[in-house]
Amino acid sequence: MTGNDDLSILSLIAHASIVVQLVLLLLIVVSLMSWYWIFRKGIAIRAARARTMEFEREFWSGGDLGAIYRSASASREMVGPLGRIFEAGYREFAKLRGQNNLDASDIIDGARRAMRATYQRELDDLEAHTAFLASAGSVSPYVGLFGTVWGIMHAFKGLGDVGSATLSQVAPGIAEALVATAIGLFAAIPAVVAYNRFAYDIDRLATRFESFQEEFSNILQRQLK
């Protein structure tokens, strides 16, 4: 076996101590889970953004609110988060409007509460599992560093019985340990980048949802006059 073969990644992992191997296994699992949620959340957020834009176009085209409500109720899964917020608000508005003992402010407040509850559920759904990406991004480098420190300690312990240590004797042990840091960074960087991107996208969607609730509340208020 040549020197280059001795320092290949697979060879270094195979000859690492059991603790370092367990750390590497943990980091690989975290990395795979991170990529799974990166793809899942990326698809979900893109779909939410596309359906939000589609619903906004339909809503602001000047169509009848009753017709838009019936369409949203018939396809709640496909209408997107903003459509479900509208559907909850209009349903509550129509129900309260039929009660003669309520003031206009009570009807609008009821519609706003219904929209707010649906808004919070939709936001929670969009944010689900993003906390895992944040945790993976912040913790993985330290887990990798732990594996590196342990590997270096193990390498120097093995050199304790050697009279004179040379670079060729020290290098494999140090390289084995540094693999843990590299894998930790490999797991952390995509998770951090994805989390920051998703947080930005979700925040923008939340702003659009909040603006729509205010504008729709004003429309409902005008209908009561």
Side-chain angles (χ1 to χ4, degrees), residues 31-133:
S31 180
L32 292 175
M33 292 179 64
S34 295
W35 280 107
Y36 172 79
W37 286 116
I38 286 170
F39 284 114
R40 282 285 303 272
K41 297 309 296 184
I43 293 171
I45 292 172
R46 281 195 297 272
R49 185 167 56 240
R51 288 170 182 169
T52 295
M53 294 175 63
E54 182 180 350
F55 180 80
E56 285 178 333
R57 284 195 299 269
E58 179 183 4
F59 181 85
W60 295 114
S61 64
D64 178 64
L65 290 180
I68 298 175
Y69 168 73
R70 289 189 292 273
S71 175
S73 298
S75 56
R76 294 191 81 255
E77 294 300 322
M78 299 301 298
V79 76
L82 188 59
R84 288 189 286 270
I85 291 171
F86 160 80
E87 188 261 347
Y90 192 84
R91 182 178 63 246
E92 188 69 12
F93 171 79
K95 182 177 71 175
L96 296 177
R97 194 181 189 183
Q99 301 179 16
N100 298 325
N101 59 336
L102 292 178
D103 296 332
S105 60
D106 295 329
I107 297 174
I108 297 301
D109 287 343
R112 280 178 172 168
R113 284 195 298 270
M115 287 191 290
R116 192 70 186 178
T118 304
Y119 159 84
Q120 194 59 58
R121 286 195 297 270
E122 295 294 336
L123 207 60
D124 289 343
D125 185 59
L126 288 172
E127 292 176 341
H129 305 292
T130 57
F132 172 79
L133 295 177

Side-chain angles (χ1 to χ4, degrees), residues 93 97 103-105 107-108 219-225:
F93 171 79
R97 194 181 189 183
D103 296 332
S105 60
I107 297 174
I108 297 301
I219 293 174
L220 295 179
Q221 196 163 20
R222 287 195 294 269
Q223 288 199 353
L224 293 173
K225 294 181 179 179

Side-chain angles (χ1 to χ4, degrees), residues 26-35 37-38 129-144 183-195:
L26 174 62
L27 291 173
I28 291 172
V29 170
V30 169
S31 180
L32 292 175
M33 292 179 64
S34 295
W35 280 107
W37 286 116
I38 286 170
H129 305 292
T130 57
F132 172 79
L133 295 177
S135 298
S138 60
V139 173
S140 294
Y142 296 103
V143 175
I183 299 297
L185 293 174
F186 177 79
I189 292 173
V192 170
V193 173
Y195 172 78

